[in-house]
Amino acid sequence: CVRVLLDEMLPVGVAGLLPDHTVTSVKAAGYAGLKNGGLILRATADRYDVLVTADRNMPAQQNIRASGIAIVLVPGNRLSDIQPRAAAIQSAVMAARPGTVTRVGRPG
């Protein structure tokens, strides 16, 4: 079971797309309002395996390779954009390795 953290820009309904994992929202974890660097540090310290986000700038702004967490970038922050890619997101979460970024493309 992979420990997944959902970025606060994502709807909590995304958790339902990852039923085989332990999924926590940034808000539920108590990390609301943290900037990306602080968020990654806290998530790593609290032993999350994967951060799921729609923040396309995060990989360029943060040293993900050295962070110890995997990032899965999803196509947008609306459930209607994300849901059609549920299988690809599940696969990306399962295959994610610390320090990597996996981009899940737009539907269609």
Side-chain angles (χ1 to χ4, degrees), residues 82-97:
I82 299 166
Q83 200 161 14
R85 302 296 294 169
I89 294 166
Q90 290 170 9
S91 294
V93 167
M94 285 301 299
R97 297 292 172 253

Side-chain angles (χ1 to χ4, degrees), residues 34-81:
L34 287 178
K35 300 290 183 202
N36 288 344
L39 176 62
I40 289 170
L41 285 173
R42 289 285 303 273
T44 302
D46 289 343
R47 299 180 186 239
Y48 284 95
D49 301 303
V50 178
L51 172 62
V52 177
T53 184
D55 185 347
R56 299 270 181 223
N57 295 319
M58 189 180 291
Q61 295 170 347
Q62 305 298 320
N63 186 350
I64 304 303
R65 183 174 291 152
S67 73
I69 196 166
I71 305 292
V72 173
L73 288 170
V74 297
N77 59 1
R78 295 180 307 183
L79 194 55
S80 62
D81 293 333

